[in-house]
Amino acid sequence: MANETEDAPTNSASESHATSADVERNPTDEDKNEKLLNDAVQFLPTDAVKDLLSKEVCLRCIFRLFGMQVPICSSLSVKSLLCHVLGEQADLHQNISSVEPNICRSCLGILQFTYCGDKERVVENESACDFAVAIAELVKKEGHQIDSFSLEVSMPPTILENENKLSLYVKRKYRSEAWFKDRSISECSSTKDALKFALTNPLETLLDVKCGISTFHIRLTYSRVEASIRIQNFVEKIEGCKRRKVDAKNCLDTVKDKSAITGVENSVVSTTEVIPVDEKSSNGLQDNEPSETHEFPLKKVNEPCRLECLCFRTPIYFGGRYLKYSRNVSQTRWIIDEERMGEASIEEIIGGNILPMCRGDSYKFHAAGREDIDVRMLGSGRPFLFEIQNAREVPSELLVKEIESKINSLENKLVRVKNLKIVGSQGWTLMREGEAEKQKQYAALVWISRPLQDEDFQTISSLKETQILQKTPIRVLHRRSPLEREKIINWMKIEKIAGSSQYFLLHMCTQAGTYIKEFVHGDLGRTNPSIGSILGCRAEILQLDVTDVKMNCFLTE
């Protein structure tokens, strides 16, 4: 994030300072927050505050520990906060570093708005407003069109452990004090909540939108270098244990190894998952056990957490139906031995027009089934979903219609789109509900080895709800499991072609997933019955069209 002033251009830095000042210098809010702070600090126990400051706990962590949540705690600099709390303005202006720790032992610099950024440089911000400016600049740099945002924070488990230890330390040392009996340390806010509380208002002002449930997310991920190293070491140990060869003579070693692995895995989990709140301190003392020394439980910290700031939008979905008029267009991009199959793909034609309009990072294509490259998709079309990852712009209904018109006016006329619209995640539900029960209608150009006879029409049309058994076709056996599938042929009828006795059009409706080509020629007996076996002759399929996919989704605009 561009708040490292030594690398930032002069004009950007000046803009940042101006923006931060705009957030901080609202006279009405400033007076209100000043009063709130003055009222709040009157109830702070000065001796406890000085004690915690001397133990290298930052002032915002102290405020958090004593349940103070006033916006000014976030917007004012540390110098101003200390002056309000301890009333030693003359000395603090000259010697503030001796009072406020460089890196807080409890929050590891998070509530000091200090972190390791790119190239492991330590970035320091005076207040939450300065930090919010850096975040807002990243959002604006990414060019997202937003009407709200969701703020997400992820912290290492050490933070929660530190919070518990710090609360227990204060509880043990000061529980006999009168002020302690009047307040509940257990009700203090967490570091995560305090950070979100500090950043929300400045970000709302800078971005001019509200924070809440949103498809646009700002995610702050803090991590510790030491934790990453420990996890890597644990993973290496686990992999080493798994690679060991164990035979019958070493069954005892096997048991020991399993125990060791379990311990290692638990250790990994403890560094990556949330640690439950426990009333035990690090030395194992219960809360009600005496402790004479009141030893401070938190270790000195030499460097702050790493911070990764991401801003992204959850996927947006376009639903519709596509028609394919070419017998040389695949559904998705098809490459074999670095050679492209077909002249284009449905995925690329549609996605290549939608993605630029949304300014997204990438797309994923999902369809309700698929047809072979040499099969046309006609009729009402095949339902599909396009998933756009991290779209910077959500198109309006008018723009969506422009995208549809652009696709349909392409010169090659390979593909056409119908009923294109933006749908929510419920589009998945519509697709899933229809896939299991959907039926498909086909028109196949068939050749048989003898002339077509009048009784053949009746034979074919009389077959209703015919059950067939299909083994995995030979043509796809190299990439599909060898299974037997029961499928239903709902109905069939023959359409005679004028001037031809051995060619005809076969119209049929079948259960989804039926291999139509194999149903016609029999696939060397692997599909039974087939058109060839029903008519008692050799049958071959020359062309195939899908004429309808019977699903209720995306049928209308």
Side-chain angles (χ1 to χ4, degrees):
M1 294 189 298
N3 55 333
E4 300 176 27
T5 53
E6 61 270 25
D7 292 337
T10 305
N11 57 343
S12 297
S14 62
E15 290 174 5
S16 297
H17 289 308
T19 308
S20 178
D22 290 341
V23 176
E24 293 180 19
R25 293 174 185 170
N26 185 320
T28 304
D29 290 342
E30 188 172 328
D31 293 341
K32 180 181 177 181
N33 291 335
E34 188 83 15
K35 184 179 184 306
L36 286 172
L37 181 60
N38 287 329
D39 292 342
V41 297
Q42 292 179 11
F43 299 98
L44 284 178
T46 305
D47 53 342
V49 172
K50 289 182 177 180
D51 174 41
L52 292 173
L53 284 171
S54 69
K55 299 293 194 300
E56 299 186 355
V57 177
C58 74
L59 195 55
R60 293 189 182 95
C61 271
I62 296 173
F63 284 177
R64 176 192 62 76
L65 185 65
F66 289 108
M68 291 178 58
Q69 283 193 339
V70 290
I72 197 66
C73 298
S74 307
S75 59
L76 281 181
S77 66
V78 173
K79 182 187 296 184
S80 300
L81 290 174
L82 285 169
C83 291
H84 276 82
V85 175
L86 301 179
E88 301 173 356
Q89 298 186 24
D91 294 335
L92 289 172
H93 278 273
Q94 298 176 354
N95 199 22
I96 190 171
S97 60
S98 64
V99 182
E100 172 77 358
N102 287 332
I103 303 172
C104 174
R105 294 192 183 193
S106 178
C107 69
L108 310 183
I110 292 175
L111 293 184
Q112 296 171 294
F113 314 116
T114 299
Y115 55 88
C116 283
D118 296 337
K119 302 178 183 178
E120 300 302 320
R121 291 182 179 177
V122 175
V123 181
E124 298 179 349
N125 294 280
E126 278 291 312
S127 67
C129 292
D130 295 331
F131 188 23
V133 167
I135 298 172
E137 284 180 348
L138 178 62
V139 173
K140 293 174 182 178
K141 181 181 178 182
E142 289 284 326
H144 284 277
Q145 175 196 67
I146 61 175
D147 54 12
S148 62
F149 69 93
S150 171
L151 181 60
E152 302 171 355
V153 178
S154 175
M155 296 183 179
T158 306
I159 300 297
L160 182 57
E161 189 177 4
N162 289 351
E163 290 174 4
N164 296 334
K165 289 179 179 179
L166 183 60
S167 296
L168 195 55
Y169 168 79
V170 173
K171 195 172 185 179
R172 286 176 175 164
K173 186 168 183 179
Y174 296 104
R175 60 183 157 195
S176 60
E177 300 287 337
W179 61 262
F180 183 86
K181 298 175 182 178
D182 295 333
R183 63 176 71 238
S184 175
I185 296 295
S186 61
E187 295 179 0
C188 66
S189 61
S190 66
T191 303
K192 179 185 292 188
D193 289 341
L195 180 65
K196 293 174 74 171
F197 181 83
L199 291 173
T200 297
N201 285 342
L203 283 174
E204 287 181 339
T205 302
L206 291 165
L207 299 176
D208 197 26
V209 293
K210 290 295 183 181
C211 178
I213 299 174
S214 176
T215 59
F216 179 73
H217 301 261
I218 299 173
R219 179 176 295 171
L220 307 178
T221 303
Y222 291 90
S223 60
R224 292 288 290 162
V225 177
E226 294 88 341
S228 301
I229 294 173
R230 285 201 305 271
I231 292 172
Q232 181 62 35
N233 291 338
F234 288 144
V235 170
E236 290 176 357
K237 288 180 182 179
I238 291 172
E239 291 177 347
C241 291
K242 289 180 178 179
R243 284 195 296 265
R244 291 181 58 188
K245 294 182 179 179
V246 180
D247 55 21
K249 293 188 297 181
N250 296 326
C251 61
L252 182 60
D253 290 340
T254 304
V255 174
K256 292 179 178 179
D257 287 343
K258 286 182 178 178
S259 300
I261 292 171
T262 302
V264 171
E265 289 174 340
N266 288 338
S267 299
V268 174
V269 171
S270 69
T271 62
T272 56
E273 296 182 352
V274 174
I275 301 172
V277 177
D278 193 353
E279 283 296 319
K280 285 191 176 183
S281 67
S282 57
N283 61 10
L285 288 174
Q286 296 286 349
D287 177 49
N288 57 3
E289 292 178 10
S291 176
E292 299 298 332
T293 59
H294 300 299
E295 182 179 350
F296 194 67
L298 303 182
K299 297 179 181 178
K300 184 177 179 62
V301 182
N302 295 318
E303 62 179 6
C305 293
R306 286 178 177 172
L307 173 62
E308 180 183 20
C309 181
L310 296 176
C311 53
F312 63 95
R313 190 186 303 279
T314 52
I316 61 173
Y317 297 92
F318 288 79
R321 290 188 171 230
Y322 73 80
L323 295 94
K324 187 184 81 169
Y325 301 123
S326 170
R327 299 192 187 277
N328 194 30
V329 172
S330 57
Q331 189 183 75
T332 56
R333 192 165 178 261
W334 190 12
I335 305 293
I336 298 179
D337 296 331
E338 300 183 358
E339 182 178 350
R340 184 190 186 96
M341 301 290 106
E343 58 183 303
S345 72
I346 303 290
E347 174 187 43
E348 292 169 301
I349 292 172
I350 301 177
N353 284 278
I354 293 179
L355 188 65
M357 295 290 191
C358 299
R359 296 189 293 125
D361 290 345
S362 59
Y363 61 79
K364 293 181 181 179
F365 177 67
H366 314 276
R370 64 189 303 130
E371 66 281 335
D372 292 339
I373 189 172
D374 60 346
V375 176
R376 294 188 301 178
M377 180 66 238
L378 306 176
S380 59
R382 186 184 297 276
F384 70 86
L385 278 178
F386 253 95
E387 179 181 343
I388 305 297
Q389 306 286 335
N390 195 23
R392 271 73 173 178
E393 183 175 347
V394 180
S396 63
E397 290 185 12
L398 181 61
L399 186 55
V400 172
K401 290 303 173 188
E402 289 180 9
I403 296 173
E404 181 177 320
S405 298
K406 183 179 179 181
I407 295 172
N408 294 340
S409 61
L410 294 174
E411 291 184 4
N412 51 28
K413 304 293 183 183
L414 301 176
V415 174
R416 182 167 175 261
V417 172
K418 295 172 61 178
N419 308 329
L420 187 66
K421 56 187 172 184
I422 294 180
V423 297
S425 55
Q426 70 271 17
W428 277 111
T429 305
L430 293 172
M431 293 270 285
R432 293 285 184 265
E433 287 176 352
E435 274 188 341
E437 302 298 329
K438 73 176 183 283
Q439 295 178 342
K440 295 183 188 177
Q441 290 184 200
Y442 299 89
L445 177 61
V446 178
W447 171 88
I448 57 175
S449 58
R450 61 166 176 80
L452 192 65
Q453 301 172 359
D454 291 341
E455 57 265 27
D456 293 335
F457 290 86
Q458 178 61 30
T459 299
I460 293 298
S461 61
S462 65
L463 296 174
K464 307 290 185 184
E465 305 301 323
T466 305
Q467 187 175 40
I468 66 171
L469 186 64
Q470 291 194 306
K471 293 182 180 179
T472 301
I474 293 172
R475 63 186 172 94
V476 298
L477 199 53
H478 63 286
R479 66 176 188 268
R480 298 282 177 86
S481 301
L483 302 173
E484 287 189 346
R485 301 169 178 85
E486 291 183 354
K487 296 295 178 180
I488 301 296
I489 308 298
N490 303 102
W491 55 262
M492 295 182 289
K493 66 177 182 178
I494 290 176
E495 180 184 346
K496 191 173 182 179
I497 297 177
S500 175
S501 62
Q502 292 179 261
Y503 294 87
F504 61 89
L505 288 176
L506 176 65
H507 299 275
M508 70 186 85
C509 178
T510 74
Q511 181 183 351
T514 304
Y515 291 104
I516 302 302
K517 294 176 180 178
E518 282 67 27
F519 173 63
V520 173
H521 59 63
D523 198 26
L524 301 179
R526 296 173 66 83
T527 292
N528 188 48
S530 65
I531 292 296
S533 66
I534 292 169
L535 296 179
C537 61
R538 180 184 166 195
E540 296 292 343
I541 186 168
L542 305 180
Q543 288 184 343
L544 180 64
D545 293 333
V546 184
T547 55
D548 195 14
V549 176
K550 292 186 175 296
M551 290 176 63
N552 292 327
C553 58
F554 314 136
L555 281 172
T556 57
E557 295 185 6

